[in-house]
Every structure is written in C-alpha cells, then in structure tokens.
Amino acid sequence: MSGPGPCLALVGNPNVGKSTLFNALTKLRQHTGNWAGKTVDTAQGRFVHQGVEYRITDLPGIYSLTAKTPEERVAWDYIASGQADGVVVVCDATCLERNLILVLQVLELTDRVLVCVNLLDEAQRLGLQIDLEGLSSRLGVPVVGISAGRQRGLDQLKQAMARLAQRGEGPEKRAAPRSPQERALLAQQYAEQTVASSRPDALERQRRLDRLLASRLTGIPLMLLLLGMVLWLTVAGANLPSQWLSQGFDWLGQVLEGWLSGAPGWLSSLLLDGVYRVTAWVVSVMLPPMAIFFPLFTLLEDLGYLPRVAFLMDHAFQRARACGKQALTMTMCLGCNACGVTGCRIIDSPRERLIAILTSSLVPCNGKFPTLMALIAIFFVGAQGGWLGSLKGAALLLGTLLLGAAATLGCSRLLSATVLRGTPSSFTLELPPFRRPRVGQVVVRSLLDRTVFVLGRALAVAAPAGLVIWLLANVEAGGQSLLGWCTGFLDPFAQLFGLDGVILMAFLLGWPANEIVIPVMLMAYLSAGTLVEYGDLSALAQLLIGQGWSWLTAVCVLLFSLFHWPCSTTCLTIWKETGSLRWTALAAALPTALGLVLCFLVASAGRLVGL
Amino acid sequence: MREIIDMAALDVGQSGYVTQLSARPAMERRLMDLGLVRGTRVTCMVKSPAGDLRAYLIRGALIALRRADAAGVQLERECPPAGGAAP
C-alpha cells in the first residue's frame, strides 16, 4: 500500500446512528446515545477492507448544509472542498422523509454519494418496509440498508464504500440547486413511493409511551421514580462488590508487605501506606457505584429517555432564562462534569451556552457519588441495613441531586439577571423514537469503559496523591508534620463554615479528582499518616466521630462536597471551551461561593440552636 | 371552510397544513431545514407539564417547540375526519 488510502466522510441528521456506525466500522469507541447532538466533534478512524485501508471522518450531525451553525460549516467545508473521495449520507429508516432532505442537498454538492439507510431493525419493529432499490433509482446513487447497532449489513456497506472510493477522478455531476420548498416536497414524494407502513399500532404505541413519559400528569413523577430507582440500585448494589474488592486489596496488601519486608522502613511505609492504600481505597469505593450507575444510565440514554427529561424540564429553564437543552448537558454532568462542559456545544445561543458551562459543576459528577453515599450512609441512615436502609439512602441521594438541580436553575437565573443578561432564544428539541436498548452491549461496554477509566484515574491521580499526602504527613518541621501545619493554619477559617482544617485541606488536595477527598481526609486524621480499613463504613464512622464530627459537620461536608470548585480536568475543559480565564475563574468561584454561603448558614444556625 | 390558526393554538391530537412561516430568520431557517415548508402536515402530539413546550410530528420526526416559536407558523386547520362534515 502506498500513501494514505481513500477517505470517506459520514454525514447525516443528528441521531441517525453515525457514531454507532463509525464505531462498528473502525472498532473505536465514540460515545453513542439516542439523542440529537451527541457528537459535537469530528472523529477520524480507519478500517481495512480487502487489503485496502480506508479513512473515515465522522462529521457532527446536521439538519442542512446551509452553513449557518458551526457544525454545518464544518460539514459543508469538508464536502465542498473535495477532501473526501466520497460522502456516505447516513439516514434513519424510521424517519426517512426528513433525512432525504439532507440527501438531496448533498447531491447538489457532489455525486460521489452513497446513501446508507441505518436502523432498519427499528423500522422493521415499527412495521416500516423500505424499497431500497426504488430509492436508489430515484436518487441516482447507490443505497445500502444496515442496522449498525446490531452489526447487520456492514459487509455489504464496506463493499459499497470501496466501490464509491474507486470511482476515480471523473468530473462530478451535481444536481441542480433546489429551494427548501422543492427539496421538502421531493423528499416527501420519494418517501411516499418507497416506504410502506404495515403496523400503525406500533407507531401508536410510541405515541402512547410519549404521552405517559412526557405529559402533564405522569411525566414528572415518573422521572423522579426512574432516577430514584437508578440511585437505589446503585446504593443497594454497591456494598457487596465494595467488600469483595477491599478484601482482595487487603490480601494483596499483605502479599506486598511480605515482598517489601527487606526494604527500609520508610520506603515500605511510603509505598504501602501512601501509594497503595489510597489507590486501593479509591478503586474499591469508587468502582462499584460507577459500574452500576453508568450502565443503568446508558440504558435510559439508549432508550431515548434523556430528551424527554429536557422536554419536561424546559419550563423551569425558560423561567431561569436559559435553554431547555441545558437539561441534557446537566444529565451529562452527572457522569462527568468535563464531558458535560464539552456537551454544552449543543446549545446554539452563546449566552445560554455560557450559562450552562458556568453552572455545570453544580451537578454532582460520578466522582462525588461515593463521598455523598458514604456520608449519607454513616450519618443519616445509621445502622439500618437491608433494603430499607438502602431505600432511605437512595431517597437522600435523590434529594441531594435535586438540590444540585435547584442550584443550577437558581444560578442560571442569577447569571441571566447579572453578567449574562438576555432573553431566552428560540430552539428546537428533537424527541427521537424510543429504541429498544441493546442491553447486553450497553452493559458490557459501559462497564468495561468505566472500569478502565476508574483504574486509569486511580493510577494517574490517586497514586501520586497518596505519595504527596504521605510525604506531607511524615515530613516534620518544628515538631509538627507539614500536614499538621497546613491543617492548623486552615482550621480557624474552616470552623466558620462548619468544617475543620483537615476537611478543607482534603478538598484542596482533591482538586485533581474528587474521588480522593475522603482518603486524604482519613490519612490526615490518622496521625501515622495511613489509611484504615478500606471500604468498611463502620470503621470510618468511628474515626470521624472520634475526630469530633457531628451530623452538622456531615451536612456541611455534604454541602461543600456538592458545591465547591470544579476538578482540574473540568477547569481545563471550561478554559478550552470558553477561551477565557475570566469565565473559568467565575465557573470556579460561583459554586465555591454558593457552598461557603450554604455551609456558613447551616453552621451558624446549628450553633444558634446549640448543636 | 378554511380556518387559519397559528401552530401554538393546535391542541394535542389536532393537525394542520402549513400556510405561512414568519418566525425570526434563524428560527425560520431551522424550521425549513426540518422540512417545515408550505403544505407540510403538522400534528400536535404531546404537551409538556407547563403546556408551554409542545411536541409536533413533522415529516415523521417529533420536534418540540416553545409557544413563542410555534406562534410564527400559520396553519390551515385540518377538519377532524370523525366530524363527518360532507365535502
């Protein structure tokens, strides 16, 4: 093979499964989900077919090529510049008519086009039959039908893509430009001629589900119920694997201790008590909740539920003078604030996008969940075990999340009234058809991806942090450890907010990752500078109460953990997305100020009533 | 009889055919991209809890619009088939 191989571009409406197809072809792992705007960047990948390497570019989803939005401009530039040897227009078989409008537009730019009708399995479920040959003869370009999510029709597609790329350098034939009116009517005509519906009842079922999930009476209760259920499964299911993991780490720790018995005392202490224990704590406490929450959440995403959440919450965002799509970026923030910040690109209005970015860290990310869960379990659920205890824990966790959502709305309104003044802009929100979630695939994929992510993060952040903390705790100056000096210095300030020096120090050192806040706290409390049993909550409870924690302290830590500066990755992402240090500083100051104010109020109220 | 209403006045289950688009330019273009041109059939499918956002079936896709945006689209109301009015 000489030089780079042929290059093909994937274009299509948002949410037609381009990323799924891209992943299936390239074996890469772009995040996919059943809602419009999931892919905001272009992605590059390659695949080999019959000894030839093909490069493919996954362009962001667009409704047209009028080059008005940034995504449209990217796609238009790419196609019009002739960088690609061919364009694959991906269509949603369940909504072919609307998709054909874009196909007709692409045909006005180039004739090196392959139409790929995706989601044939979903169309079949809805009783839609598509005459692919008829469509091909009407459009004058090849048409291939696939179901990318179930890996069907991919070989045929690769063959067609190979033929498309081989067509060489002949002159391009372009269709005559049409008006939007003409295009829409032609698309309608083609769709009427090539799509046959045999099961109106299946479509009716979709509508019924929508009326149930998105309407006046049932929508919001069902949303809270679903979220509560996901949280309950997370709380109830995380305990057992956490115990297994910590037992495993205990055993491994003893093995390591044996190996290091010959090394100098300070070295084995540094490696075992510092690096190993923090890493082990982070993995055994962080991994199980993430490994449960993420697959469940991805199932809801795959079903197409998230846009319905945005639909339900739009009114609240409108009153906060923000965009209804902010609900979508908020749900992304639940996973990872940095991902949520990048996701804010789906909001067209710059003012509303900034509001969404600045308030993004008010929603607790997955890294904060275990901290919140542990505090709730120790101080508010108590000894109650079993399903009742986990139910109570889930309810309190739900309340915490709702507090985060309320803060997001409140701060959005505040920003709209001060630095980001303006009225809500217009927007359209697409509610995609409900799809049957690919359960096996989703669970395995998100579980594996999460595990790799958490392990990588534990190694990259928790291990070095453990090292630093060990050093701080063990290097002495003037008869006190460095850590002691720092926490002593912070203590008077922290007491004002119902915290103490150690807690504040832990949050400061936890800037690289929220996961390590609790381990740092524990290390500092134990004068020897080592962690206790990992994952065992009763030992943790004893330690904290012994250090003078009351439930009031727990409330303040809970609030501060919910509202403080975003982690370093999120800060960096905000800086990249806004291109401004001032907005980044505001994004860090806003949640911190809110957290401090709330903690101060709670602590003062507590003191007043004599707690 | 031809009855012209704006799209925001369409209730759940009712349909109409677009006669005129007069939204803000950016919105008008976005609506045309979605295939909402003269003659397009629109059906109101779901109303949000506050009633301000409604989802419309447009060319096989379900699109939600706020009241202020939907008001820029003029429709000719479709007579309900069950109404039995003779042509």
Side-chain angles (χ1 to χ4, degrees):
Chain A
M1 212 181 341
S2 62
C7 181
L8 299 164
L10 297 183
V11 293
N13 282 170
N15 200 34
V16 294
K18 283 188 305 300
S19 297
T20 310
L21 172 61
F22 179 82
N23 290 351
L25 286 172
T26 61
K27 312 281 179 243
L28 289 173
R29 286 176 210 142
Q30 281 273 93
H31 190 109
T32 59
N34 186 9
W35 53 282
K38 188 84 226 196
T39 307
V40 286
D41 258 328
T42 56
Q44 310 270 347
R46 50 194 67 216
F47 71 92
V48 176
H49 178 71
Q50 293 179 340
V52 182
E53 188 182 66
Y54 296 89
R55 288 172 298 147
I56 46 178
T57 303
D58 183 18
L59 295 168
I62 46 169
Y63 288 112
S64 83
L65 282 169
T66 41
K68 289 282 163 55
T69 66
E71 287 80 19
E72 286 171 10
R73 211 164 301 130
V74 168
W76 191 88
D77 280 349
Y78 198 88
I79 298 170
S81 68
Q83 284 179 56
D85 296 296
V87 178
V88 180
V89 188
V90 187
C91 296
D92 177 353
T94 63
C95 177
L96 194 61
E97 182 177 333
R98 219 267 312 284
N99 285 246
L100 283 175
I101 297 175
L102 183 67
V103 174
L104 292 171
Q105 259 191 313
V106 174
L107 286 172
E108 290 164 25
L109 283 176
T110 172
D111 69 334
R112 297 208 181 100
V113 172
L114 167 66
V115 173
C116 169
V117 180
N118 189 19
L119 296 164
L120 277 186
D121 51 340
E122 288 298 319
Q124 205 172 15
R125 221 163 51 82
L126 297 177
L128 300 170
Q129 274 94 40
I130 292 160
D131 173 11
L132 297 172
E133 277 174 33
L135 188 60
S136 171
S137 68
R138 282 175 180 80
L139 292 170
V141 292
V143 176
V144 181
I146 62 163
S147 305
R150 297 179 204 278
Q151 312 270 337
R152 276 186 222 145
L154 291 183
D155 283 332
Q156 216 191 338
L157 176 70
K158 283 182 192 171
Q159 278 166 22
M161 285 169 87
R163 276 198 299 274
L164 176 70
Q166 277 161 12
R167 257 202 287 169
E169 294 299 313
E172 283 183 69
K173 276 182 289 182
R174 292 178 193 167
R178 296 186 183 89
S179 72
Q181 179 86 23
E182 288 169 329
R183 255 182 242 129
L185 293 180
L186 195 59
Q188 183 180 346
Q189 184 192 333
Y190 287 172
E192 276 164 5
Q193 290 166 344
T194 55
V195 183
S197 169
S198 62
R199 292 183 52 199
D201 57 310
L203 282 169
E204 184 46 40
R205 203 172 321 130
Q206 290 255 341
R207 305 293 162 239
R208 265 208 303 271
L209 195 54
D210 248 326
R211 280 198 288 273
L212 187 71
L213 290 177
S215 71
R216 200 181 276 262
L217 277 177
T218 47
I220 287 180
L222 277 175
M223 177 172 78
L224 293 177
L225 198 69
L226 270 173
L227 185 58
M229 218 159 69
V230 168
L231 293 176
W232 177 64
L233 288 171
T234 307
V235 171
N239 273 335
L240 206 58
S242 267
Q243 276 167 22
W244 291 340
L245 280 170
S246 69
Q247 278 162 10
F249 278 118
D250 248 344
W251 173 81
L252 190 64
Q254 280 159 13
V255 173
L256 288 176
E257 216 174 323
W259 284 355
L260 287 168
S261 56
W266 64 268
L267 183 67
S268 77
S269 168
L270 181 141
L271 290 178
L272 279 177
D273 300 336
V275 178
Y276 178 75
R277 291 217 167 176
V278 174
T279 314
W281 206 95
V282 168
V283 174
S284 61
V285 175
M286 302 303 301
L287 192 54
M290 285 187 171
I292 297 171
F293 180 83
F294 260 91
L296 290 174
F297 196 75
T298 316
L299 284 179
L300 285 181
E301 189 176 5
D302 220 33
L303 174 73
Y305 185 62
L306 299 191
R308 271 76 188 179
V309 173
F311 184 78
L312 287 172
M313 292 187 57
D314 175 69
H315 187 68
F317 281 104
Q318 194 177 7
R319 290 191 54 187
R321 308 214 173 152
C323 180
K325 287 185 187 173
Q326 200 176 330
L328 284 173
T329 66
M330 258 173 78
T331 55
M332 285 175 90
C333 286
L334 268 183
C336 165
N337 284 174
C339 299
V341 169
T342 316
C344 290
R345 291 188 204 167
I346 58 169
I347 299 171
D348 292 328
S349 143
R351 184 188 75 88
E352 289 161 11
R353 193 185 315 135
L354 255 176
I355 291 179
I357 290 176
L358 293 179
T359 55
S360 60
S361 66
L362 299 172
V363 177
C365 73
N366 232 248
K368 292 179 182 176
F369 271 27
T371 310
L372 302 176
M373 278 164 63
L375 289 174
I376 287 172
I378 291 174
F379 288 93
F380 305 102
V381 179
Q384 270 175 321
W387 64 273
L388 197 67
S390 58
L391 211 58
K392 207 168 152 192
L396 288 168
L397 192 57
L398 180 64
T400 314
L401 283 187
L402 293 181
L403 185 64
T408 305
L409 288 167
C411 289
S412 300
R413 183 69 185 86
L414 183 73
L415 288 169
S416 301
T418 52
V419 283
L420 288 166
R421 240 171 269 188
T423 47
S425 69
S426 52
F427 78 107
T428 57
L429 174 74
E430 181 157 9
L431 304 178
F434 291 104
R435 292 178 195 155
R436 186 179 294 171
R438 294 159 289 154
V439 178
Q441 208 177 328
V442 164
V443 170
V444 172
R445 198 62 280 148
S446 57
L447 228 138
L448 284 182
D449 288 353
R450 273 300 111 184
T451 314
V452 170
F453 178 81
V454 174
L455 289 178
R457 183 122 164 179
L459 289 178
V461 179
L467 187 77
V468 170
I469 300 154
W470 186 90
L471 286 173
L472 284 176
N474 286 278
V475 175
E476 294 203 348
Q480 204 182 1
S481 69
L482 289 179
L483 195 64
W485 280 109
C486 295
T487 55
F489 174 73
L490 289 173
D491 203 55
F493 177 71
Q495 292 290 350
L496 213 60
F497 303 99
L499 310 170
D500 66 26
V502 169
I503 301 170
L504 195 55
M505 181 78 193
F507 276 110
L508 286 169
L509 286 176
W511 190 51
N514 287 297
E515 289 92 324
I516 63 170
V517 168
I518 287 218
V520 171
M521 224 184 270
L522 296 187
M523 284 193 110
Y525 278 141
L526 294 159
S527 48
T530 60
L531 268 166
V532 267
E533 303 263 326
Y534 357 76
D536 186 355
L537 285 182
S538 57
L540 183 59
Q542 270 175 5
L543 175 78
L544 294 179
I545 293 164
Q547 293 289 332
W549 278 48
S550 64
W551 67 267
L552 197 66
T553 323
V555 173
C556 290
V557 176
L558 205 72
L559 285 173
F560 199 66
S561 155
L562 197 56
F563 307 125
H564 66 278
W565 48 87
C567 75
S568 56
T569 317
T570 307
C571 286
L572 204 66
T573 313
I574 294 174
W575 182 52
K576 257 193 278 180
E577 290 294 313
T578 58
S580 145
L581 279 175
R582 273 170 54 203
W583 288 125
T584 313
L586 185 60
L590 183 75
T592 311
L594 179 66
L596 287 177
V597 167
L598 286 178
C599 284
F600 179 73
L601 290 177
V602 169
S604 309
R607 272 185 217 116
L608 270 181
V609 290
L611 276 165
Chain B
M1 193 191 81
R2 279 163 53 98
E3 188 194 351
I4 304 291
I5 54 168
D6 72 45
M7 199 158 93
L10 212 56
D11 229 327
V12 172
Q14 297 180 333
S15 306
Y17 291 89
V18 177
T19 55
Q20 204 190 337
L21 271 176
S22 55
R24 280 173 270 185
M27 193 60 189
E28 191 171 312
R29 188 179 45 77
R30 169 52 58 86
L31 291 176
M32 289 215 289
D33 292 344
L34 292 171
L36 198 77
V37 296
R38 254 182 299 118
T40 307
R41 184 166 185 264
V42 176
T43 310
C44 179
M45 303 303 290
V46 203
K47 219 186 319 189
S48 73
D52 182 70
L53 196 68
R54 290 174 195 210
Y56 302 92
L57 190 66
I58 300 169
R59 298 199 181 274
L62 204 53
I63 310 284
L65 294 175
R66 281 180 179 166
R67 178 190 297 273
D69 297 321
V73 181
Q74 303 293 309
L75 301 174
E76 181 184 336
R77 197 199 285 277
E78 186 183 68
C79 292

